[in-house]
């Protein structure tokens, strides 16, 4: 194993009866990296995380964290990893500070050291003002930030966050994600987070993996993914013209390289993987006597791909 590979999955598979929840997943996550495991509900993200943590046994394949096999050495793995589950639980009748102190002492820290760390972390996650407020009164976003502090108080090398942005308002999401990235970059912590919201997490992830129905569709930097999936030339053409008849739209649909055409109110969007499409579209439109009022061509972004592949995830 290469030293900088902190999490290493090889042929990881999990079956529940006949159902394959995770299908032959291989992936390496490097030290200090923020990695986003992205996929719709039911893709197998939580199942993968549980196997990484050694909380669920793989049907096949292997997981290593910091060089330890998660299945055989789950205790060693738990010492290295801070885990924030999708449902964070706190003692609602205790304050935020008391909850953190409890975690610190359970992890073998002295009360003094624990209290000092807890106060530092509350400051870092922006909860100093609520330190002495009962956790039961915290909003969902505050609980997630307290959860982050709770995970960090163990001084983990790796943190794993399952759907950390779920149920938080958009502003809270931005703040939480920025905080996660900042903590990772300042302290060299490796972060694996799962999400089904690409647009939320794409700015803070060094790399993402697109996970659909238990399979990894592609992984890489956000910029490289679109290319990997669509090839070099994936792009979208938008054209406004009138009159855009069904016949014109039909002709464009038949062009080689065109994946999809949408047409509404004199405006047409064309998804293509061939550079020559723009030229052909213009020829068809102009030769039928249309007036073109606007025309644009853009590389297809990941959002576009995400929507296309992630339609059809299991419903919540
Ligand atoms: P995600 O976290 O991406 O939403 P999950 O890992 O929770 O996906 O689930 C992946 C698939 O495995 C789903 O079809 C889910 O119903 C199934 N699954 C998850 N946990 C269990 C379990 N304990 N028993 C049976 N099926 C499960
Ligand atoms: Mg899940």
């Amino acid at each position: 194993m290469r030293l900088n590979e902190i999490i290493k999955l090889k042929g990881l598979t999990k079956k529940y009866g006949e159902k394959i929840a995770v299908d032959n997943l291989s992936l390496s996550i490097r030290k200090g990296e923020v990695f986003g495991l992205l996929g719709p509900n039911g893709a197998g993200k939580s199942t993968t995380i549980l196997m990484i943590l050694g909380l669920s046994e793989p049907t096949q394949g292997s997981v290593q964290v910091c060089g330890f096999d998660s299945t055989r050495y789950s205790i060693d793995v738990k010492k290295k990893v801070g885990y924030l589950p999708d449902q964070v639980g706190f003692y609602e009748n205790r304050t935020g500070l008391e909850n953190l102190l409890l975690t610190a002492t359970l992890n073998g820290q002295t009360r003094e050291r624990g209290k000092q760390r807890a106060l530092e972390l509350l400051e870092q996650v922006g909860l100093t003002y609520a330190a002495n407020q009962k956790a039961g009164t915290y909003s969902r976003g505050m609980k997630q930030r307290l959860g982050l502090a709770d995970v960090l108080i163990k001084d983990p090398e790796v943190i794993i966050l399952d759907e950390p942005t779920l149920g938080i308002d958009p502003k809270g999401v931005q703040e939480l994600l920025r905080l996660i990235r900042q903590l990772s970059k300042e302290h060299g912590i490796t972060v694996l987070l799962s999400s089904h919201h690409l647009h939320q997490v794409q700015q803070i992830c060094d790399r993402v993996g697109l996970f659909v129905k238990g399979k990894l569709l592609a992984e890489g930097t956000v910029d490289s993914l679109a290319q990997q999936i669509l090839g070099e030339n994936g792009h979208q053409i938008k054209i406004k013209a009138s009159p855009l008849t069904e016949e014109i739209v039909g002709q464009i649909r038949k062009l080689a390289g065109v994946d999809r055409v949408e047409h509404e109110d004199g405006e047409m969007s064309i998804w293509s993987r061939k550079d020559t499409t723009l030229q052909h579209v213009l020829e068809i439109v102009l030769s039928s006597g249309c007036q073109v009022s606007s025309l644009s061509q853009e590389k297809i972004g990941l959002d576009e791909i995400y929507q296309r592949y992630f339609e059809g995830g299991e419903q919540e």
Side-chain angles (χ1 to χ4, degrees):
M1 166 166 144
R2 297 222 312 272
L3 256 180
N4 64 352
E5 289 177 332
I6 293 292
I7 299 178
K8 194 167 170 61
L9 316 180
K10 245 164 90 186
L12 195 65
T13 300
K14 180 76 185 185
K15 290 187 190 165
Y16 292 112
E18 287 297 294
K19 162 124 201 150
I20 304 181
V22 177
D23 193 358
N24 196 21
L25 173 62
S26 295
L27 183 67
S28 288
I29 299 172
R30 293 185 283 264
K31 184 166 171 50
E33 175 167 64
V34 178
F35 188 92
L37 192 58
L38 290 165
N41 290 317
K45 302 179 299 294
S46 295
T47 304
T48 300
I49 287 174
L50 292 177
M51 288 191 285
I52 294 173
L53 294 163
L55 295 173
S56 169
E57 202 172 327
T59 310
Q60 256 167 39
S62 66
V63 199
Q64 284 188 351
V65 179
C66 305
F68 293 107
D69 181 295
S70 299
T71 313
R72 267 180 289 169
Y73 300 101
S74 62
I75 301 206
D76 295 287
V77 168
K78 281 191 197 91
K79 282 185 197 150
K80 305 269 182 193
V81 182
Y83 167 50
L84 187 64
D86 49 1
Q87 297 288 337
V88 209
F90 287 108
Y91 292 98
E92 306 259 303
N93 273 326
R94 299 187 190 202
T95 66
L97 177 61
E98 285 165 353
N99 270 286
L100 291 187
L101 255 175
L102 191 67
T103 305
T105 44
L106 284 177
N107 281 282
Q109 295 180 21
T110 61
R111 261 195 91 76
E112 290 89 300
R113 168 78 187 132
K115 182 156 187 195
Q116 187 196 339
R117 266 306 269 158
L119 289 170
E120 276 169 25
L121 285 166
L122 284 166
E123 169 87 42
Q124 277 184 18
V125 301
L127 281 178
T128 301
Y129 74 98
N132 296 312
Q133 212 172 299
K134 287 190 172 154
T137 67
Y138 281 24
S139 70
R140 169 88 196 172
M142 288 164 80
K143 278 189 182 152
Q144 286 302 91
R145 281 187 281 149
L146 185 62
L148 201 55
D150 192 63
V151 156
L152 290 167
I153 205 157
K154 286 168 65 180
D155 286 324
E157 288 179 38
V158 180
I159 58 180
I160 297 183
L161 315 166
D162 198 358
E163 304 268 4
T165 63
L166 216 64
I168 310 180
D169 62 274
K171 187 163 163 276
V173 165
Q174 289 309 314
E175 285 171 2
L176 182 75
L177 290 174
R178 231 179 296 129
L179 179 65
I180 291 169
R181 177 156 186 102
Q182 182 198 339
L183 290 170
S184 163
K185 296 302 154 191
E186 280 173 7
H187 304 285
I189 301 171
T190 308
V191 178
L192 170 65
L193 60 88
S194 80
S195 177
H196 61 275
H197 293 296
L198 170 76
H199 62 279
Q200 284 184 355
V201 302
Q202 62 182 347
Q203 306 104 309
I204 71 137
C205 291
D206 298 306
R207 281 193 306 146
V208 296
L210 296 188
F211 205 45
V212 183
K213 295 192 178 130
K215 288 200 165 86
L216 192 68
L217 201 71
E219 54 90 5
T221 62
V222 168
D223 287 342
S224 78
L225 277 188
Q227 258 193 24
Q228 282 182 44
I229 296 174
L230 290 165
E232 286 291 325
N233 305 316
H235 61 273
Q236 183 182 13
I237 298 164
K238 284 190 181 163
I239 183 163
K240 255 191 205 159
S242 83
L244 266 185
T245 61
E246 280 307 319
E247 198 196 326
I248 298 174
V249 177
Q251 272 181 288
I252 290 171
R253 277 210 173 95
K254 282 189 216 130
L255 287 173
V258 169
D259 283 341
R260 194 168 106 208
V261 178
E262 275 175 17
H263 170 219
E264 209 184 342
D265 298 334
E267 193 171 353
M268 192 166 36
S269 291
I270 302 150
W271 286 265
S272 168
R273 45 181 93 210
K274 267 192 115 160
D275 280 342
T276 49
T277 303
L278 181 67
Q279 181 63 33
H280 289 136
V281 166
L282 260 183
E283 279 166 16
I284 291 169
V285 169
L286 292 176
S287 70
S288 52
C290 273
Q291 290 270 3
V292 176
S293 54
S294 85
L295 177 68
S296 68
Q297 169 164 285
E298 275 175 26
K299 272 189 138 11
I300 294 182
L302 202 54
D303 274 324
E304 198 55 53
I305 294 171
Y306 189 84
Q307 274 169 24
R308 185 187 317 174
Y309 282 97
F310 283 17
E311 283 161 10
E314 285 176 18
Q315 296 305 307
E316 270 176 277

